[in-house]
Amino acid sequence: MINDMTTVLEPSPLPDFVETPYIKDITERSLSYIMAGFPVHFRGVSGTGKTTLAMHVASKIGRPLVMIHGDEEFTTSNLIGGEYGYRFRKVVDRFISRVSKTEEDMTKRWVDNRLTVACKHGFTLLYDEFTRSRPEANNVLLSILSEKMLDLPVGRGEEPYLRVHPDFTAIFTSNPEEYAGVHRSQDALRDRMVTMDLDHFDRETEIAITHAKSKLSEEDSIKIVNIVRDLRESGKCEFAPTIRGSIAIAKILHVQDLTPVSANGGFTQICQDILASETSRVGSKTNQERVKEIVNGLINKYC
């Protein structure tokens, strides 16, 4: 614990993490950009593993990790720090018994927030969904990523500029701009980082992740992934189902000690409930019937 507002994490290999050739390639490219001094930005739709990949890359760097989650209400002070509370000091001088001298002093108390802590100590910064914060709140990042200098308010009471530690590293993640609650990032900020656009995992990786996360057999994991991928590629859904759908279906089967075959009609209902939820924001009857029809055909095909 650096102070009462900032928690520093010790990155370590994630449990059940699967490193297929697809994942290994992204990891190695990311680390090469970071070694060259560039921040890395993982951009992609929901369910493409952006945050998990960022955590994995951070564990490879090996430095303490500071996480920030983008928020609409953020201001610059939420990133670098601000004046929180007061420090009160009172001195009573009774050196001469008949004379009492009192001095009182009250000053505002400055607390560094996570971005300042990471820059000062050379930690790895993971700014998750950074475009959910307003662009003006992120302006402070421009000088950090370019000039390696953090401009601090006068109220901090120390040097007005903080030179960024040479070991400081930044990793960003974001959703596409058309997502609800996402702001358009500054061109100047995007120009200072290497953006890697992530798509859904390849089939081999999705099978490996589903199997590892659910503990369901590989054979049954393959059936589930095939169903979800075919539904995604059908192009008939409002939103494409992701690896999260495969994991959810597989976990439910494993907890109930079922397989796609032994569950009979229960497997069909589980798929419909999970995938209808994933593929529509409003849960319309039309979408439910569409998913039901497609899923029934896929179950007959693969099971």
Side-chain angles (χ1 to χ4, degrees):
M1 183 74 75
I2 295 299
N3 56 47
D4 59 346
M5 297 190 65
T6 304
T7 301
V8 176
L9 305 174
E10 290 294 335
S12 57
L14 301 174
D16 300 326
F17 187 83
V18 173
E19 190 169 36
T20 62
Y22 173 87
I23 300 295
K24 189 174 182 180
D25 175 64
I26 295 175
T27 303
E28 290 177 349
R29 285 157 52 202
S30 302
L31 290 172
S32 69
Y33 301 146
I34 289 170
M35 288 178 61
F38 296 100
V40 172
H41 170 209
F42 294 126
R43 179 174 60 191
V45 298
S46 177
T48 51
K50 301 181 296 296
T51 304
T52 302
L53 280 167
M55 292 286 288
H56 179 61
V57 172
S59 73
K60 295 290 186 180
I61 296 172
R63 296 282 296 169
L65 176 68
V66 172
M67 286 193 70
I68 299 175
H69 300 281
D71 191 291
E72 168 77 18
E73 301 300 321
F74 268 3
T75 63
T76 300
S77 64
N78 293 112
L79 299 177
I80 65 173
E83 294 172 335
Y84 298 92
Y86 295 87
R87 181 181 287 109
F88 182 79
R89 184 171 66 95
K90 181 178 181 179
V91 178
V92 179
D93 184 356
R94 298 184 184 275
F95 184 73
I96 300 174
S97 60
R98 290 174 298 179
V99 179
S100 178
K101 182 181 178 181
T102 302
E103 293 182 5
E104 294 184 358
D105 183 25
M106 186 173 66
T107 57
K108 291 183 178 180
R109 182 171 177 266
W110 176 276
V111 177
D112 287 340
N113 269 354
R114 301 183 181 188
L115 179 59
T116 302
V117 171
C119 291
K120 184 176 181 179
H121 298 282
F123 297 155
T124 299
L125 171 72
L126 172 49
Y127 196 164
D128 193 36
E129 305 288 2
F130 81 101
T131 52
R132 294 193 180 276
S133 302
R134 293 181 178 276
E136 54 267 29
N138 292 330
N139 281 339
V140 66
L141 292 165
L142 298 176
S143 61
I144 292 174
L145 301 182
S146 183
E147 288 77 33
K148 308 300 180 184
M149 193 76 69
L150 174 58
D151 187 3
L152 295 168
V154 176
R156 188 170 182 266
E158 298 180 22
E159 66 276 10
Y161 298 97
L162 174 67
R163 185 166 293 280
V164 177
H165 194 287
D167 289 333
F168 171 78
T169 302
I171 305 173
F172 299 86
T173 73
S174 74
N175 285 126
E177 292 176 359
E178 63 268 19
Y179 270 52
V182 172
H183 296 281
R184 182 178 181 181
S185 64
Q186 307 94 314
D187 292 339
L189 183 54
R190 288 189 292 103
D191 190 50
R192 286 165 165 78
M193 58 181 71
V194 177
T195 297
M196 302 178 69
D197 287 306
L198 302 183
D199 201 348
H200 295 285
F201 298 114
D202 60 13
R203 182 174 178 275
E204 176 190 356
T205 301
E206 290 195 341
I207 292 171
I209 292 174
T210 302
H211 173 54
K213 296 291 184 183
S214 68
K215 303 300 188 291
L216 195 68
S217 71
E218 184 176 6
E219 179 184 357
D220 290 332
S221 297
I222 290 173
K223 294 175 182 177
I224 294 170
V225 168
N226 284 340
I227 291 170
V228 174
R229 287 179 64 87
D230 279 14
L231 178 61
R232 180 192 307 153
E233 293 167 4
S234 70
K236 297 180 179 180
C237 300
E238 180 182 358
F239 299 102
T242 69
I243 183 66
R244 293 193 180 109
S246 299
I247 295 172
I249 294 169
K251 279 187 173 181
I252 292 169
L253 288 179
H254 179 69
V255 167
Q256 298 182 2
D257 196 23
L258 296 172
T259 67
V261 175
S262 67
N264 297 320
F267 177 60
T268 302
Q269 190 60 59
I270 292 170
C271 289
Q272 289 174 7
D273 289 341
I274 298 296
L275 298 177
S277 171
E278 259 211 310
T279 55
S280 176
R281 179 178 289 120
V282 297
S284 65
K285 283 289 185 182
T286 302
N287 182 71
Q288 292 175 14
E289 291 299 323
R290 184 188 302 118
V291 170
K292 179 179 179 180
E293 179 183 352
I294 297 173
V295 166
N296 282 337
L298 294 173
I299 289 176
N300 291 333
K301 176 181 179 182
Y302 292 113
C303 301

